[in-house]
């Protein structure tokens, strides 16, 4: 298998810096020296520096949950790619459905962020996914295609393989309603097919496509066993050491 499984924790707006450091320590200890699965944790901005210290020298990598596309300037309240890099951040979640729905992020904006992240050697975890209304209207694949094509505009073939895609059906996020393995695999396979059209089959085979949306230790093994599901972007279940580590274990055990 050329694609190493990846488990990423999206802590969203949770954890003070002290609580974040303690959770990060727990993850670091549990991960230890196992390197079969790549592990990324994405705390809020205020905890990045503390968590960078906690994961230093371990196999756990550090991600941010968002960033601005400009390097610096008059953008009150925003944080840039070079600022993240200076804190040893390696990954950044972009285009999360909460950013799109609650903060008005368009595909064009997400595209600018993707290009800026790549320019600054940050690995984007690019989120796409349909709402319940879009699924019920039968437009899931079309919507995912539009989001993906627009977000990847101007991304070269060389850089494309380094991007991580997260398919997160909006109706499954934080709701306890997980997509069935068939629903998830269908979209993951479709995304890989699209990547193959855009960048060629070898590059498409290298891209990790994560599933996100109520992934838990109880449902992870089945999802992770699907051919095109290369890991998970985990919200709720990443907020406690036990459940997050059980998810990592599930990924380690995938045949
Ligand atoms: P959830 O969130 O695991 O709590 O459903 C996933 C996400 O939003 O990334």
């Amino acid at each position: 298998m050329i694609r190493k499984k990846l488990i990423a924790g999206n802590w969203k707006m949770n954890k003070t810096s002290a609580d974040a450091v303690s959770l990060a320590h727990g993850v670091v200890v549990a991960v230890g020296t196992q390197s079969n699965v790549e592990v990324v944790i994405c705390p809020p901005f205020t905890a990045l520096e503390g968590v960078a210290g906690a994961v230093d020298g371990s196999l756990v990598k550090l991600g941010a949950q968002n960033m601005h596309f400009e390097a610096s300037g008059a953008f009150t309240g925003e944080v840039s790619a070079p600022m993240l890099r200076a804190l040893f951040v390696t990954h950044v979640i972009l285009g999360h459905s909460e950013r799109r729905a609650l903060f008005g992020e368009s595909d064009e904006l997400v595209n600018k962020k993707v290009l800026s992240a790549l320019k600054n050697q940050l690995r984007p975890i690019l989120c796409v996914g349909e709402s319940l209304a879009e699924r019920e209207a039968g437009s899931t694949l079309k919507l995912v295609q539009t989001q993906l094509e627009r977000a990847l505009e101007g991304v070269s073939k060389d850089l494309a393989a380094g991007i991580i895609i997260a398919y997160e059906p909006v109706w499954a996020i934080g709701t306890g309603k997980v997509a069935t393995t068939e629903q998830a695999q269908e979209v993951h396979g479709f995304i890989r097919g699209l990547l193959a059209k855009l960048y060629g089959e070898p590059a498409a085979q290298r891209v990790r496509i994560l599933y996100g949306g109520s992934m838990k230790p109880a449902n992870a093994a089945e999802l992770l066993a699907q051919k095109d599901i290369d890991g998970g972007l985990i919200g709720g279940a990443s907020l406690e050491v036990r459940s997050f580590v059980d998810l990592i274990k599930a990924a380690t055990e995938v045949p």
Side-chain angles (χ1 to χ4, degrees), residues 17 25-26 29 32 35 57 63 69 83 101 109 111 129 142 162 166 172 186 197 221 247:
S17 46
H25 272 302
V29 169
S35 58
F69 59 86
M83 292 172 183
L109 181 63
N111 175 241
K142 194 164 151 267
E186 182 197 14
K197 269 189 217 146
L247 281 160

Side-chain angles (χ1 to χ4, degrees), residues 34 38 50 82 117 119 122 128 134 143 160 194 223 230 238 248:
Q34 87 73 26
E38 198 174 330
K119 192 171 139 204
L122 283 170
V128 296
E134 285 153 349
L143 187 277
L194 266 178
L223 285 161
D230 306 311
S238 71
I248 297 168

